[in-house]
Amino acid sequence: MIDLGYGFTSGINKISKQKVYYWLHSEEDITWEAFIWYIADYCDVEDFGEDWIDVRIVSEKQREFFYKKIREYNELICTSNFDIDRRNELWKSHKEGAVRNYDILLRLIR
């Protein structure tokens, strides 16, 4: 495995909810499912649980992009988008991460 810096290695990385809070510089609770729904547009999600997510990151550039997208997360907008998307099937043809993370997204809306 190649060390990508900041605790990341090339391959699957387990990211805790606590680490996401730290990166957001916030102690306010986020809707974890809405966060996963959001981040699935920007990276390969391998698996997730109640307070963790496994993502595939293979380069320093991808790690930096992943971190940038976490910092851009907006709880109000993303929770609203998640609530709307789970009520219909339009996400299957309109969501950026629908092709690469289809099974993960299906698990989220069940």
Side-chain angles (χ1 to χ4, degrees):
M1 279 190 212
I2 299 171
D3 181 13
L4 300 176
Y6 301 100
F8 285 87
T9 58
S10 180
I12 298 173
N13 292 268
K14 186 174 290 290
I15 309 298
S16 70
K17 191 176 187 180
Q18 196 75 16
K19 193 176 281 190
V20 171
Y21 284 158
Y22 177 76
W23 290 333
L24 289 172
H25 303 288
S26 173
E27 293 181 14
E28 291 184 33
D29 200 23
I30 63 171
T31 307
W32 190 239
E33 293 82 6
F35 171 78
I36 297 169
W37 189 262
Y38 161 80
I39 206 67
D41 281 346
Y42 306 107
C43 65
D44 294 332
V45 177
E46 299 294 324
D47 200 6
F48 68 91
E50 187 176 308
D51 61 354
W52 58 271
I53 183 172
D54 284 343
V55 295
R56 181 175 301 278
I57 305 217
V58 297
S59 69
E60 288 181 34
K61 187 173 182 177
Q62 190 179 23
R63 182 206 70 214
E64 290 168 8
F65 179 74
F66 176 73
Y67 175 73
K68 177 184 173 202
K69 290 302 174 184
I70 288 176
R71 297 284 298 134
E72 291 174 357
Y73 178 76
N74 181 301
E75 173 70 9
L76 292 175
I77 292 170
C78 293
T79 301
S80 177
N81 288 344
F82 178 60
D83 288 340
I84 291 167
D85 285 349
R86 67 196 298 188
R87 290 188 205 135
N88 63 60
E89 304 229 344
L90 287 174
W91 66 268
K92 292 179 180 179
S93 61
H94 291 81
K95 185 159 178 58
E96 290 180 40
V99 173
R100 76 171 157 226
N101 290 310
Y102 186 78
D103 293 336
I104 295 293
L105 298 174
L106 280 178
R107 278 180 50 201
L108 280 169
I109 60 172
R110 291 190 177 145

